[in-house]
Amino acid sequence: MMLVRYLSQIGRYFLMLKEIFNKQTKWPVMRNLIFKEIDDLIIDSLGIVCFISFFIGGVVAIQTALNLTNPLIPKYLIGFATRQSVILEFAPTFISVIMAGKMGSYITSSIGTMRVTEQIDALEVMGVNSLNYLVFPKIIALLMYPFVIGISMFLGIFGGWLACAYGGFSTSQDFIQGAQMEFIPFHITYAFIKTLIFAMLLATIPSFHGYYMKGGALEVGKASTVSFVWTSVCIILFNYILTQLLLG
């Protein structure tokens, strides 16, 4: 019974994706909606992303340094390990899970509140494709999400460099040498491919849970929790699949 329910939800999700791109809202209206979503989802997220990235990068560098106790292991490996950790996993995946909480809860609660207060029904009565009106601007706004992850990568490595150099774990030159060592440009491409797919999940899964929720104000909170859980699960699952496909 539960399997049938999950399959029906997955089917409804893909039908929602199809409906989002039907009967487009007029461009002057859509343009304003897109700029609003960029402000709410991207600009408002920069502060928390910068803060977390900087300090986690420092923690990764310090923990790496503390585990390299063998004097035969060169200190520049601290920079190498920090760069690899931040670019491959921390920035695209860990930040996306955090954004599933911040962005996802905001998207689900805002659309869910519109459902509870019958604003979505009013849009439908006026002949507006409510899914296109509400979800499409979020998808377009989150095409800028790789920009956020790029900043996260830079600040993570920068935080690792500061923690390492000024914490006395290695010299600045050693860290920079390690950060530049055996750099593979495809790793950046891989990270941004993941980021774009995570952005699609961040825009659509919370919207799905908000749009199709039933009940009142209490159910809006429950829908936000459920959307965070499922968005996080899908991000981790797609992270595994994409890593296997692109790096395996």
Side-chain angles (χ1 to χ4, degrees):
M1 189 68 184
M2 187 173 287
L3 178 62
V4 173
R5 187 162 63 88
Y6 283 148
L7 288 174
S8 69
Q9 289 288 85
I10 291 168
R12 183 189 271 189
Y13 172 76
F14 282 107
L15 288 172
M16 181 196 82
L17 292 183
K18 175 177 172 289
E19 188 63 29
I20 287 169
F21 299 98
N22 289 338
K23 197 181 175 187
Q24 295 285 323
T25 305
K26 290 179 181 176
W27 171 244
V29 176
M30 182 59 71
R31 181 183 58 208
N32 293 333
L33 291 170
I34 289 169
F35 282 131
K36 181 181 181 300
E37 296 298 349
I38 288 172
D39 186 48
D40 290 340
L41 299 177
I42 301 296
I43 306 299
D44 283 359
S45 300
L46 284 175
I48 186 70
V49 169
C50 291
F51 178 81
I52 292 171
S53 300
F54 181 81
F55 285 101
I56 292 292
V59 169
V60 169
I62 291 169
Q63 289 186 347
T64 304
L66 292 174
N67 282 286
L68 294 179
T69 53
N70 192 323
L72 298 177
I73 298 175
K75 292 292 184 183
Y76 61 73
L77 286 180
I78 299 169
F80 176 78
T82 303
R83 184 199 74 202
Q84 293 295 91
S85 301
V86 167
I87 289 176
L88 291 176
E89 276 310 306
F90 162 69
T93 307
F94 187 70
I95 290 293
S96 293
V97 171
I98 292 170
M99 288 300 104
K102 186 189 180 300
M103 288 184 191
S105 297
Y106 166 76
I107 291 170
T108 305
S109 59
S110 61
I111 295 178
T113 302
M114 290 184 73
R115 172 62 75 189
V116 168
T117 54
E118 299 180 350
Q119 294 178 55
I120 293 176
D121 298 328
L123 286 171
E124 295 286 350
V125 167
M126 290 189 293
V128 176
N129 179 356
S130 56
L131 277 170
N132 178 260
Y133 184 87
L134 294 171
V135 184
F136 186 73
K138 293 174 173 57
I139 293 173
I140 299 301
L142 279 167
L143 291 177
M144 293 186 65
Y145 187 55
F147 168 73
V148 176
I149 298 303
I151 292 174
S152 173
M153 289 177 184
F154 169 75
L155 285 175
I157 296 170
F158 181 67
W161 170 70
L162 279 182
C164 207
Y166 292 96
F169 296 101
S170 82
T171 63
S172 176
Q173 290 78 8
D174 280 345
F175 186 91
I176 292 170
Q177 180 190 350
Q180 294 174 335
M181 186 178 69
E182 295 182 21
F183 176 66
I184 301 172
F186 180 72
H187 285 171
I188 300 287
T189 307
Y190 156 78
F192 283 139
I193 290 171
K194 283 205 303 186
T195 300
L196 280 171
I197 291 173
F198 294 163
M200 186 69 178
L201 296 175
L202 285 168
T204 54
I205 295 176
S207 297
F208 172 80
H209 285 283
Y211 189 85
Y212 290 109
M213 63 147 290
K214 293 182 175 68
L218 181 63
E219 279 72 22
V220 173
K222 289 180 179 177
S224 297
T225 304
V226 172
S227 82
F228 166 66
V229 171
W230 280 109
T231 307
S232 301
V233 167
C234 289
I235 285 171
I236 299 300
L237 181 62
F238 272 87
N239 183 45
Y240 174 79
I241 294 169
L242 290 167
T243 302
Q244 191 71 33
L245 288 174
L246 298 174
L247 297 182

